[in-house]
Amino acid sequence: MVVIILSLIVIVMVFISFLVGIKQYKRNLKNNEYDLLEYLEKHKDNLSITIKEDGHDTLTFNQNVKFPLASTVKIIIAFNFVRLVTTCKLSLSEKVSLSYIDKFYVVNTDGGAHPEWKKSMDNSSEVSLLDVAKGMMQFSSNACTDYLMNRIGLDVINESLRDLQINTHDKITYLTPSVLMPGYLSNKKKIATTKMQTMKSASYQSLSEELFKKTEQGECEDLKEKTSRMLSRKIQYLITEKLPSSTTKDYVDLMYKLGKEILSDEEKKLFSEILIGENIKGNQDDYFWYKGGATPFVLTSSLYKENAEHSIVISLFMRDEKAEDSYWIQNIFNDFIFSIATDIDFKNKVKSIFKENM
C-alpha cells in the first residue's frame, strides 16, 4: 500500500511539473524584445555584443570571446559566392538539379529550412545558382550551403578569412557531415560521444570532408537513416562546439568592411539580393543585411544597415548551454536585433545595460 501511495504521489508531482512547464512555455511565447533584454541582463556572462556606428565602436561587451557561429558563418560563403559571380567564375543563371542538392539534406536536421526553400521553388526539378544562394541565406538551408561550399572550394573559403583579416576565425568545413558523423563513428551513442569529445580539429575537418564526398556519391543513405536516433542532447552539444567559432568584434568589423570598403556597388547589389533585409529595410536605407544562426545551445547574428546619413553594424552572440531558453528566444531574437538597429530608444537602453569602458 505504501509503495502504491508513493507511486501515486510521484505521478501527481510529475503531472503538476508538466502543467507548470506548459504554462511557462505559453507565457514565454508572449515575450518581446524587452523580455529578452531583461533575460540577457541576468545572463551577461553568456553573451557578447558589439555595435559599430559610422565606423566607431559604440558598444563592446565581451567582444573578443569566441562563440560557435551556427549559420551566421554563411556570410563568409555568401561573400565568396558574390565575388566569384562578379568575376565571371560562376553564373547566377546556371541550372542545378534539385535532386543533386537534396543529397546533402538530412531529414529534420535544419529546422525545416531546406523543405521550406524547396516549397518556395515549387519543387522544380532544376534551380538556378541564385536560387541556391537565396536558399542558403534567406532560408538557411544547410544542403544549399554545402553545395555552394563545394562549388566555391573549402580552400578558397578559408583563404578568404585571411584576406578579410578575420584573425580569430576557426577553419570552415561542411555542415551536413556533422550530423552524420556520430552514426559513422559508432552504432552506440556513448561510444560516438567519447570519440567526438576526443577528436582534434584537424581530424574532424578531414572526416567532414570524407563524409561530404561519400554523401555526394550517395554512400551515406544508411547514415542518414541512423541520424535521428544518434543525435542525443550531448551529441548535439558536441556538434555545436565543433562548429567554426569567431567573435562579435570580427563579425562587426567584417560587415562594416563589406559595406564600406570591400564590395563594389555591383557586388553590394547582389549581396542585398541574397541576404535577408531587402523587404525589411526602411525607405531611407540603402542597405540592410542580416544573417542569424541558431542551435539549441547558441544564437548568433550579424546586421549591417546603411543610409545616406548613418551606418550601424550589430553582432550579438549568446549561449544557452542547457538549452532551457533558446526555444522561446529564437522566436524574438531577430526582432531584438532589428529593434537595436531601428529604434534609437531601445538601442540606448541596450547600451546603458551592457556598456564597458570605451
Side-chain angles (χ1 to χ4, degrees):
M1 179 64 70
V2 173
V3 173
I4 294 174
I5 292 173
L6 288 174
S7 298
L8 288 173
I9 290 173
V10 170
I11 291 171
V12 170
M13 290 178 67
V14 169
F15 182 68
I16 291 172
S17 297
F18 174 76
L19 291 178
V20 171
I22 290 294
K23 186 176 181 180
Q24 182 64 41
Y25 173 77
K26 290 181 177 179
R27 185 184 302 119
N28 285 337
L29 289 180
K30 298 178 181 179
N31 287 346
N32 60 26
E33 61 266 32
Y34 287 94
D35 296 304
L36 179 52
L37 182 57
E38 182 180 348
Y39 172 88
L40 294 177
E41 186 176 8
K42 295 176 182 177
H43 298 82
K44 288 184 176 181
D45 291 342
N46 295 326
L47 68 92
S48 168
I49 184 169
T50 301
I51 300 176
K52 186 188 292 287
E53 297 179 81
D54 301 320
H56 303 285
D57 289 347
T58 57
L59 177 64
T60 63
F61 188 86
N62 293 337
Q63 68 164 349
N64 292 309
V65 179
K66 293 180 70 172
F67 286 73
L69 290 162
S71 287
T72 301
V73 75
K74 294 170 185 177
I75 292 170
I76 304 293
I77 319 304
F79 161 73
N80 280 278
F81 175 78
V82 166
R83 183 54 51 90
L84 290 180
V85 168
T86 54
T87 56
C88 299
K89 294 178 181 177
L90 288 176
S91 169
L92 292 176
S93 60
E94 178 186 334
K95 295 297 183 180
V96 186
S97 167
L98 191 59
S99 62
Y100 183 78
I101 297 173
D102 277 342
K103 289 184 177 183
F104 310 116
Y105 172 62
V106 180
V107 176
N108 297 325
T109 60
D110 69 350
H114 188 67
E116 281 299 310
W117 170 69
K118 287 178 63 177
K119 186 178 178 180
S120 76
M121 295 291 101
D122 295 325
N123 293 309
S124 302
S125 60
E126 288 187 332
V127 293
S128 69
L129 281 189
L130 177 60
D131 291 328
V132 179
K134 289 180 178 180
M136 173 178 69
M137 299 306 290
Q138 297 180 16
F139 292 83
S140 217
S141 162
N142 289 340
C144 289
T145 305
D146 277 358
Y147 170 81
L148 288 177
M149 289 172 73
N150 189 50
R151 286 297 307 272
I152 295 165
L154 285 181
D155 290 344
V156 171
I157 292 167
N158 284 303
E159 284 171 8
S160 73
L161 295 176
R162 291 190 291 271
D163 297 337
L164 293 167
Q165 297 180 331
I166 311 180
N167 300 318
T168 66
H169 209 295
D170 290 342
K171 195 172 183 181
I172 296 172
T173 191
Y174 299 111
L175 299 176
T176 301
S178 64
V179 299
L180 301 175
M181 203 173 291
Y184 179 82
L185 293 172
S186 176
N187 288 321
K188 297 183 178 179
K189 286 181 280 191
K190 187 173 182 180
I191 295 175
T193 299
T194 300
K195 289 184 176 181
M196 289 189 69
Q197 283 176 320
T198 57
M199 189 178 297
K200 294 183 178 179
S201 296
S203 298
Y204 187 89
Q205 178 96 14
S206 177
L207 182 54
S208 175
E209 293 178 27
E210 179 183 343
L211 287 175
F212 177 86
K213 291 177 182 176
K214 287 180 177 292
T215 303
E216 186 179 25
Q217 294 164 6
E219 299 175 4
C220 289
E221 297 308 306
D222 58 331
L223 292 180
K224 289 181 180 181
E225 292 178 4
K226 291 169 59 177
T227 296
S228 59
R229 68 178 177 83
M230 291 299 295
L231 291 180
S232 66
R233 176 170 289 216
K234 178 64 175 178
I235 285 178
Q236 289 183 63
Y237 178 79
L238 288 173
I239 289 172
T240 295
E241 290 301 299
K242 295 287 187 181
L243 292 171
S245 295
S246 189
T247 67
T248 59
K249 171 178 170 52
D250 272 344
Y251 266 72
V252 159
D253 289 346
L254 166 65
M255 293 292 268
Y256 181 79
K257 285 187 287 188
L258 290 178
K260 292 292 188 179
E261 301 172 8
I262 296 175
L263 296 178
S264 66
D265 289 343
E266 179 187 1
E267 289 170 332
K268 286 195 278 189
K269 183 179 179 181
L270 178 54
F271 209 66
S272 295
E273 187 174 359
I274 292 170
L275 269 71
I276 293 174
E278 280 297 291
N279 59 346
I280 300 172
K281 72 179 185 180
N283 293 332
Q284 303 302 315
D285 293 329
D286 296 316
Y287 302 106
F288 194 118
W289 303 333
Y290 180 76
K291 187 72 188 85
T295 77
F297 308 98
V298 297
L299 291 101
T300 61
S301 63
S302 203
L303 177 149
Y304 177 87
K305 179 177 178 289
E306 178 191 337
N307 57 41
E309 298 178 352
H310 180 60
S311 70
I312 183 169
V313 195
I314 306 161
S315 276
L316 171 64
F317 299 168
M318 61 166 290
R319 287 183 181 272
D320 179 20
E321 291 193 347
K322 295 183 179 180
E324 294 176 336
D325 298 293
S326 57
Y327 67 91
W328 68 264
I329 293 175
Q330 286 187 43
N331 292 326
I332 55 175
F333 189 72
N334 295 349
D335 289 339
F336 181 87
I337 307 299
F338 298 160
S339 294
I340 298 175
T342 59
D343 185 332
I344 293 175
D345 291 338
F346 187 74
K347 176 182 66 179
N348 289 336
K349 189 171 181 63
V350 172
K351 287 182 179 180
S352 70
I353 291 173
F354 296 106
K355 64 182 177 183
E356 289 181 337
N357 294 327
M358 299 297 297

